[in-house]
Amino acid sequence: MKKSDWLWLLSGMISLWLKQSLDFSMWENEGVQVNIAHVLTNNTLVDSILWIAFSLFGALFVLSQISDIRELYPLLPGRITSRTRLIRKEIVMVYWRTAGYVLLAFLVSVWNGNFTSGTTFSLLYAWMSLSCLVTLLLILENRFGIWLMLLIISTISPLSSYLPWMYGQAYNFWQSGTALIHTCFLLALTFGLILMYMINMKKADLKF
């Protein structure tokens, strides 16, 4: 990995560690054994801000690698088949890089509390949500002001609890029995974004 990749990864770990520290200290003061899944939810404005930081660093971690793939595009003028293969490779890159980012940051940052099946769901939901955000950023390429404002607006309640890229109340979804509904919605939204992205990329005159 490049030096910038390590920087984004480390920054993401720090932001998650700060949120974990705040959440655990709050629950310890109330004398309750906390489920680790609470670290993957938004309850306050500070939570939302830290999630924005975590999401932003994760997106930069993924997009850094995709920029390297795109250096191959000028070598394939007019070769739609090869270009389609590279676009699919980008999508795969989004998923495995976001998975690695979420899992590594989570394992390094969290060391106390109960790990349950609800925690596993929250972790998977965070992975899918970050993948959804990165796909959206790819569609809004070079319009950083737009998606930065989108993230800032995401801190407003109740948006901070339910917007896909904010990970929202994944653990509450699990407890209330609506996990399947929310997951299907997130998957449908992500599939639609991926389809839109592939169509836009195939139509684009890719000159870098």
Side-chain angles (χ1 to χ4, degrees):
M1 293 193 299
K2 298 180 294 186
K3 291 183 178 179
S4 59
D5 290 346
W6 290 109
L7 175 62
W8 306 137
L9 187 59
L10 179 61
S11 299
M13 290 179 183
I14 293 174
S15 61
L16 191 62
W17 176 79
L18 288 174
K19 186 176 187 306
Q20 172 263 330
S21 299
L22 292 173
D23 288 343
F24 279 13
S25 61
M26 176 185 69
W27 282 91
E28 287 174 359
N29 290 336
E30 296 184 5
V32 179
Q33 182 68 29
V34 64
N35 189 304
I36 296 177
H38 284 288
V39 181
L40 299 170
T41 59
N42 297 311
N43 298 311
T44 66
L45 178 61
V46 175
D47 286 344
S48 298
I49 293 174
L50 289 172
W51 271 129
I52 285 180
F54 182 74
S55 299
L56 178 61
F57 295 133
L60 291 171
F61 176 72
V62 177
L63 295 175
S64 173
Q65 183 67 24
I66 290 179
S67 65
D68 293 339
I69 296 178
R70 291 190 173 181
E71 292 180 359
L72 300 175
Y73 282 176
L75 305 177
L76 303 167
R79 296 178 62 181
I80 299 300
T81 302
S82 299
R83 181 179 294 180
T84 300
R85 188 178 300 114
L86 286 174
I87 294 171
R88 289 174 179 169
K89 188 174 181 179
E90 282 188 17
I91 295 172
V92 172
M93 182 73 65
V94 168
Y95 275 91
W96 81 258
R97 270 234 158 186
T98 50
Y101 174 79
V102 171
L103 182 60
L104 186 57
F106 183 82
L107 292 178
V108 169
S109 302
V110 179
W111 60 84
N112 289 314
N114 295 325
F115 193 101
T116 65
S117 54
T119 310
T120 302
F121 169 76
S122 298
L123 190 62
L124 291 173
Y125 196 84
W127 166 49
M128 292 187 294
S129 299
L130 184 57
S131 299
C132 178
L133 172 63
V134 174
T135 305
L136 179 63
L137 299 186
L138 287 173
I139 295 176
L140 299 176
E141 185 181 7
N142 295 330
R143 298 174 182 174
F144 299 104
I146 294 178
W147 61 263
L148 184 57
M149 286 299 300
L150 184 64
L151 287 177
I152 294 174
I153 293 174
S154 298
T155 64
I156 302 174
S157 181
L159 295 179
S160 59
S161 297
Y162 296 100
L163 285 175
W165 49 83
M166 294 299 289
Y167 316 140
Q169 301 295 330
Y171 186 54
N172 291 340
F173 297 158
W174 176 268
Q175 290 182 315
S176 63
T178 60
L180 180 61
I181 296 174
H182 287 87
T183 302
C184 289
F185 170 75
L186 180 59
L187 289 175
L189 178 62
T190 304
F191 177 78
L193 289 175
I194 289 175
L195 184 61
M196 185 186 306
Y197 178 64
M198 293 186 71
I199 292 174
N200 289 344
M201 290 294 286
K202 284 184 178 182
K203 290 181 178 180
D205 182 15
L206 301 175
K207 296 179 181 180
F208 297 90

